[in-house]
Structure formats: C-alpha cells, structure tokens
Amino acid sequence: MEQSAAKITTKKPKIKLDFTDSKYATGRRKKSIAKIWVKKGTGKIYVNGRTMDDYFTSGAHKMQITRPFEIINQATSFDVRCSVTGGGHTGQAGAMVHGIAKALILFDSENRSVLKTEKLNTRDSRSVERKKPGRRKARRSFQFSKR
C-alpha cells in the first residue's frame, strides 16, 4: 500500500490552459486521433496536459510536430493545446501534425498552398493491414516443410 501512495504523490498535476479565442481542428494518423486548439501566443505546445518535451521523448517526434510552424516561418507565434488518444507515439505525432496544419489553415487561408506542397494537410491513409486466415500475419505464410 505504501508503494501505491508514493506513485500518486509523484504524479504531475495537469496544466490548466485558457484557449478561448482559438481555432480547433482534428488530426488523424493510423489509430491515433488528435484534437488540436491553436491560438496566437509564444510557441508553447501542450499535449494531454503536459508540455511536449515531457510527453514526447524522441527528438524526431518533436521536430516533426514543430515542422508546420517552421514551414510558414512562424515558429514562436502560436500556442497549441492537444488532446491525443490511441496508437503509439509515432502515430500520435503524425496526427498532431495533421491537426496543426488544418488549424493553421483556419487562421490564415494563405497558409494552405504552402502546407499543401509539403503534404501536411492531407491525411496519411496508410494503416496496419489486417491478418488473413491461413496465414501467420497479413502476408507472411506459415513455414513450409517439403518433407
């Protein structure tokens, strides 16, 4: 019982954020769904009540998420609040990029052509292929024994 009490006290409290005059968009990738609120600010990104640096440990994911802002040359002029569910970190990062790009288009429709050339406002439809009957995985067969 003492160990469970120690775990509760070390849990960080969620950050309360005010996103009243913001734009909302939904991003999807694989099984992940990201609800994105974007507003004018100082470049802070919050994911599920935590900062992006606390939530994503991989530098590649952090770089991927900030890419839409760098493309429109406004890396520190928007704050982002995100609620993301499903999938793993890679799918969640991809869903956030899709949602952020859609929200930036709502802010300024001139961003659409720039983000479209980078294919950020298009949903990546690739997903895991289902397992087929009579096979070990989607395409992998069982091992064949000749004799």
Side-chain angles (χ1 to χ4, degrees):
M1 295 218 22
E2 291 176 27
Q3 289 178 346
S4 62
K7 287 181 184 177
I8 293 170
T9 56
T10 58
K11 190 174 181 182
K12 291 182 181 178
K14 285 196 172 184
I15 302 166
K16 300 279 190 255
L17 303 168
D18 181 36
F19 275 76
T20 51
D21 55 333
S22 62
K23 302 290 182 188
Y24 171 80
T26 305
R28 291 186 173 87
R29 170 83 168 94
K30 293 185 177 182
K31 293 285 184 184
S32 302
I33 300 170
K35 299 173 188 172
I36 305 281
W37 290 267
V38 176
K39 72 169 187 170
K40 292 280 186 187
T42 58
K44 295 177 182 169
I45 300 175
Y46 299 99
V47 184
N48 291 349
R50 301 188 307 195
T51 61
M52 180 183 68
D53 295 327
D54 290 340
Y55 192 81
F56 290 104
T57 55
S58 171
H61 292 150
K62 294 174 193 174
M63 191 170 61
Q64 182 183 0
I65 291 166
T66 56
R67 189 161 168 249
F69 299 114
E70 292 166 2
I71 289 170
I72 62 168
N73 297 322
Q74 295 181 349
T76 59
S77 54
F78 290 100
D79 286 345
V80 177
R81 187 182 118 210
C82 175
S83 172
V84 66
T85 58
H89 286 293
T90 303
Q92 289 180 352
M96 281 185 67
V97 170
H98 183 227
I100 289 169
K102 285 170 65 175
L104 289 174
I105 290 168
L106 292 175
F107 256 104
D108 188 10
S109 59
E110 294 174 6
N111 294 333
R112 184 182 187 90
S113 62
V114 180
L115 293 170
K116 190 171 184 176
T117 57
E118 297 291 325
K119 297 178 181 165
L120 295 181
N121 60 345
T122 306
R123 190 210 191 283
D124 191 352
S125 62
R126 293 177 297 168
S127 173
V128 179
E129 192 174 340
R130 78 173 198 91
K131 185 196 173 300
K132 316 299 189 306
R135 295 188 172 262
R136 215 167 85 185
K137 291 167 61 176
R139 299 185 180 207
R140 170 85 163 95
S141 300
F142 291 108
Q143 185 171 357
F144 176 71
S145 175
K146 195 168 188 178
R147 286 176 194 83

